[in-house]
Amino acid sequence: MTDTLPTYFISHGGGPWPWLPEMRRMFANLEASLVKMRAERPKAVLMISGHWETEEVAVMSSAHPPMVYDYYGFPPETYQIVYPAPGAPKLAQRTADLLSAAGHRVHLDGKQGFDHGTFAPMAVIWPEADMPTYQLSIRKDYDPATHFAIGRALAPLRDEGVLIVGSGLSFHNLRMFGPEARVPSEAFDAWLGQALALPADQRTAALLDWESAPYARLCHAQEDHLVPLFVALGAAEHDKAERVYHDVMLRGGVTASSYRFH
């Protein structure tokens, strides 16, 4: 493959939503945006999920990753979900080598499984579960500059058939899902769209200083679901941003967006 693949930052929705009819209807617009990602036709998908945190960067290396049910209060059957996509051990090693060469401490993890930040959107994008898929952790320090640098180190994978996807949410405050989220999430989402439309150097500077955005810490009291954006954008730092999903969801309160960088 010679074409350079885009990267994505997706708002991945709530818990095991594709398996719950009411939630699936609520996320109909998100589902439509995810389905369009099938057109990329990569050799494999590298997912950076906000649900896997480590002290140093880790790369999932299992040939057959297990499942991680990292959600609470859902029906019993959602803890039996299996998304049996194959892993990508050779690409995991390649990914670790790129990170190591760039000076990052990194290790392979042969036990880590797919969390819902990966298996929920992937079940919509590739329901046949035949796309090799592996994950990269985010660092517990959440440092924006470090995660931009991680993304830069991974950029060569785009020319090697790997689709890099940051999976989080542009708004993530579990104590504020509902009408009270309308004003802060709209304001932060508007800032994000404006920041991503800036020229590359200004865009990077704006994202590094994301805490200066309106309602930043109200929308991301803990920025685990924003950090995947830094990696996805670091791998496509000079590419344009295209908003591919925008919605007001969850009882009319939360504004959320997803982006494609190409």
Side-chain angles (χ1 to χ4, degrees):
M1 178 177 288
T2 57
D3 294 338
T4 300
L5 286 167
T7 72
Y8 282 85
F9 171 68
I10 61 171
S11 291
H12 64 228
W17 65 268
W19 288 268
L20 299 170
E22 184 177 350
M23 289 191 74
R24 192 158 190 166
R25 286 191 294 271
M26 182 175 67
F27 288 117
N29 293 335
L30 175 60
E31 179 168 359
S33 72
L34 293 173
V35 167
K36 291 179 180 179
M37 292 172 64
R38 296 176 191 171
E40 306 299 356
R41 299 187 181 277
K43 293 194 302 186
V45 171
L46 172 58
M47 194 75 75
I48 302 96
S49 170
H51 290 277
W52 186 23
E53 302 179 18
T54 53
E55 294 292 344
E56 65 179 36
V57 187
V59 187
M60 176 190 290
S61 60
S62 172
H64 304 284
M67 302 294 291
V68 177
Y69 305 111
D70 53 345
Y71 40 76
Y72 305 93
F74 288 94
E77 62 269 21
T78 62
Y79 299 90
Q80 304 299 320
I81 291 168
V82 176
Y83 183 73
K90 290 183 179 180
L91 285 170
Q93 184 63 63
R94 167 67 173 152
T95 300
D97 290 345
L98 286 170
L99 290 167
S100 181
H104 299 281
R105 294 181 58 190
V106 58
H107 67 273
L108 298 176
D109 188 325
K111 296 182 179 180
Q112 178 66 27
F114 295 138
D115 61 57
H116 80 266
T118 292
F119 72 73
M122 287 296 291
V124 173
I125 307 167
W126 282 283
E128 300 84 1
D130 56 356
M131 176 61 66
T133 303
Y134 66 119
Q135 290 188 213
L136 182 81
S137 71
I138 61 172
R139 285 180 30 150
K140 289 183 177 180
D141 59 16
Y142 301 148
D143 181 63
T146 298
H147 287 90
F148 262 93
I150 289 168
R152 294 183 193 111
L154 299 179
L157 293 175
R158 298 175 60 196
D159 294 314
E160 299 171 17
V162 178
L163 183 66
I164 298 172
V165 181
S167 179
L169 274 171
S170 58
F171 173 91
H172 194 251
N173 184 334
L174 294 177
R175 297 181 178 180
M176 191 182 287
F177 272 108
E180 66 272 23
R182 176 177 290 278
V183 170
S185 66
E186 281 184 353
F188 185 83
D189 191 83
W191 170 85
L192 184 61
Q194 293 164 5
L196 291 175
L198 293 170
D201 57 339
Q202 297 176 42
R203 179 174 68 182
T204 298
L207 269 293
L208 290 174
D209 191 34
W210 73 272
E211 289 183 88
S212 297
Y215 300 101
R217 277 296 174 192
L218 198 59
C219 295
H220 293 280
Q222 183 171 300
E223 60 266 40
D224 50 342
H225 278 56
L226 187 65
V227 166
L229 168 62
F230 305 148
V231 181
L233 189 52
E237 198 161 15
H238 300 285
D239 292 354
K240 70 175 183 179
E242 175 190 3
R243 192 171 70 182
V244 293
Y245 164 70
H246 179 71
D247 208 354
V248 177
M249 56 182 182
L250 296 177
R251 300 174 186 170
V254 175
T255 297
S257 296
S258 299
Y259 288 86
R260 181 177 187 258
F261 304 106
H262 61 103

